Amino acid sequence: MNILAIETSCDDTCVAVVEAKGRKRPRFKILANIVSSQVEVHKKWGGVYPSLAKREHQKNLLPVLEKALKKAKNPKLNLIAVTNGPGLEPCLWIGVNFAKALSCYLDLPIVPVNHIEAHIVVNFVDKAQSSKFKSQNFPAVCLVVSGGHTQLILMRDIGKYKILGETRDDAAGECFDKVARILGLGYPGGPAIAAEAKKYGGRASVNLPRPMINQKNYDFSFSGLKTAVLYKYKDKKYIKEMCKEVQQAIIDVLLKKTIKAAKDYKAKTIILGGGVCANNELRKQFKQKFNCLIPPKNLCTDNAVMTAIAGYFGKPKDWQKIKADANLRIC
Ligand code: KG4
Ligand code: ZN
């Protein structure tokens, strides 16, 4: 079946067309994956400005849809998938209303998709990784790290989730973004900090805290890290070193908590997802510790391929009952 997917939860206007086959061993082929980034629009604010993002989605959705359909060579469509939360509510509504109109007009079933679940199941896209999604490989522990979320989730099967812990304040990606702003590195902060950190050869001599790393729970807190950077950052020449240390502090906490959750719940698989997983150092250090599933870099950050895959596993719903929900939970 061919799935048309729409994702507008934050600052990327995304449309994808994905061919999906098989239920026991699902296989996916990406026919089109268009991501229209709004980075230039939000740069001067140092973060996403919701009403501007909404306006950009309104402006971009139709051209992005046309581009995706053209790229996919106008295939016959069978299903529409749309992110309905969590995310920025005004942005979510643009995608949801657009998808509902399409569903009505094209007379196609429509599935609402949870953005966090989409970050997890996008790992199916890879043939080798998709072979791991068998009952004997569950339970899995999933770490979703994005600009809006940092959650450790127990996954007993597709569609069966339990949140084990999450951030009590800033998300890991948000911490990267806020630290980048303090250091004058621009938006989005993650890639900018990773690039600076790479330039620093030695071990960083600045020491930043690893918040909550030894606490016996699966929760996180990253806002103190940003404050620590603010106080320790005095001289511009420490930028590279500071970037290396902040990146390592975030990775240390994520790794330790994931290992704890995996041990406590006897996880057979560890699954990563979300924009922060595009970080090379994080990918390397997680892979050194265990054989985990990580999406290809371009599918870590927001895209609609992940929405299509989650939609394939989801249930169609009456379009009139689909609503955007900024605080939608995975369980
Ligand atoms: O999943 P995502 O695209 O959007 C949300 O759902 O929030 O994640 C965006 C976040 C941003 O905070 C961005 O700074 C971070 O992912 N990010 C990175 C990297 N690339 C993107 N963080 C660290 N290293 C990267 N290479
Ligand atoms: Zn995301």
Side-chain angles (χ1 to χ4, degrees):
M1 81 157 63
N2 292 324
I3 306 166
L4 173 69
I6 292 157
E7 148 66 48
T8 61
S9 67
C10 192
D11 62 338
D12 293 306
T13 312
C14 318
V15 178
V17 184
V18 173
E19 186 189 301
K21 277 186 193 155
R23 284 291 162 184
K24 280 194 175 157
R25 281 184 29 192
R27 289 277 182 274
F28 300 95
K29 188 174 167 195
I30 301 171
L31 304 181
N33 175 24
I34 312 293
V35 178
S36 169
S37 165
Q38 303 178 3
V39 165
E40 289 310 314
V41 179
H42 300 288
K43 238 178 190 168
K44 65 170 176 279
W45 307 98
V48 181
Y49 199 87
S51 59
L52 263 184
K54 175 192 164 185
R55 205 178 67 190
E56 287 301 303
H57 286 309
Q58 272 170 325
K59 212 163 71 186
N60 295 338
L61 251 180
L62 200 54
V64 171
L65 171 74
E66 280 172 343
K67 207 167 160 184
L69 290 176
K70 193 170 169 202
K71 179 87 206 284
K73 302 200 170 71
N74 275 307
K76 185 180 166 340
L77 300 170
N78 309 97
L79 181 71
I80 293 179
V82 63
T83 308
N84 73 323
L88 301 170
E89 188 131 346
C91 298
L92 288 164
W93 271 117
I94 301 297
V96 164
N97 282 332
F98 189 77
K100 286 201 215 187
L102 280 176
S103 149
C104 241
Y105 181 69
L106 300 172
D107 196 21
L108 289 175
I110 177 170
V111 187
V113 164
N114 180 304
H115 184 78
I116 304 294
E117 181 176 25
H119 271 309
I120 295 171
V121 299
V122 74
N123 279 289
F124 265 125
V125 80
D126 178 278
K127 262 192 201 157
Q129 295 204 151
S130 84
S131 64
K132 300 238 175 172
F133 279 82
K134 289 180 195 148
S135 57
Q136 65 263 36
N137 291 323
F138 290 112
V141 158
C142 313
L143 173 71
V144 177
V145 265
S146 69
H149 294 85
T150 299
Q151 290 184 333
L152 269 167
I153 298 165
L154 182 68
M155 180 182 189
R156 297 200 184 278
D157 202 342
I158 295 169
K160 285 191 191 154
Y161 307 98
K162 183 183 170 208
I163 298 175
L164 300 176
E166 60 195 313
T167 184
R168 295 183 180 176
D169 40 60
D170 292 351
E174 194 176 356
C175 180
F176 272 112
D177 295 337
K178 287 180 174 170
V179 167
R181 193 151 74 184
I182 292 169
L183 301 179
L185 294 173
Y187 177 82
I193 288 186
E196 288 300 310
K198 203 174 166 209
K199 292 181 202 158
Y200 188 81
R203 245 188 95 87
S205 60
V206 265
N207 287 312
L208 290 171
R210 270 67 175 155
M212 295 181 75
I213 195 164
N214 291 317
Q215 286 192 15
K216 291 188 180 6
N217 54 42
Y218 312 105
D219 284 347
F220 303 90
S221 165
F222 290 106
S223 72
L225 202 46
K226 154 202 75 192
T227 318
V229 170
L230 188 64
Y231 286 122
K232 294 211 172 181
Y233 168 65
K234 295 211 178 68
D235 192 335
K236 278 201 183 264
K237 69 177 181 245
Y238 288 124
I239 278 192
K240 295 184 189 68
E241 208 175 336
M242 191 63 90
C243 288
K244 182 146 191 174
E245 173 66 0
V246 79
Q247 176 176 269
Q248 194 55 51
I250 292 172
I251 294 173
D252 284 349
V253 178
L254 294 175
L255 248 179
K256 182 111 188 245
K257 294 265 173 169
T258 307
I259 292 171
K260 177 173 164 48
K263 269 194 188 148
D264 292 354
Y265 285 88
K266 300 186 173 50
K268 295 187 179 136
T269 313
I270 291 168
I271 302 174
L272 269 55
V276 177
C277 299
N279 185 282
N280 281 333
E281 207 48 47
L282 180 147
R283 299 170 79 90
K284 192 175 95 190
Q285 294 184 30
F286 266 82
K287 280 181 185 160
Q288 275 167 358
K289 283 272 180 229
F290 25 62
N291 185 12
C292 47
L293 308 189
I294 312 184
K297 274 195 235 170
N298 69 319
L299 299 179
C300 287
T301 44
D302 289 349
N303 62 85
V305 170
M306 65 188 211
T307 318
I309 295 176
Y312 184 60
F313 298 119
K315 277 198 201 94
K317 206 171 163 181
D318 180 355
W319 69 266
Q320 295 180 64
K321 292 192 178 137
I322 299 177
K323 289 189 171 74
D325 179 356
N327 301 311
L328 189 67
R329 305 277 286 175
I330 199 169
C331 57

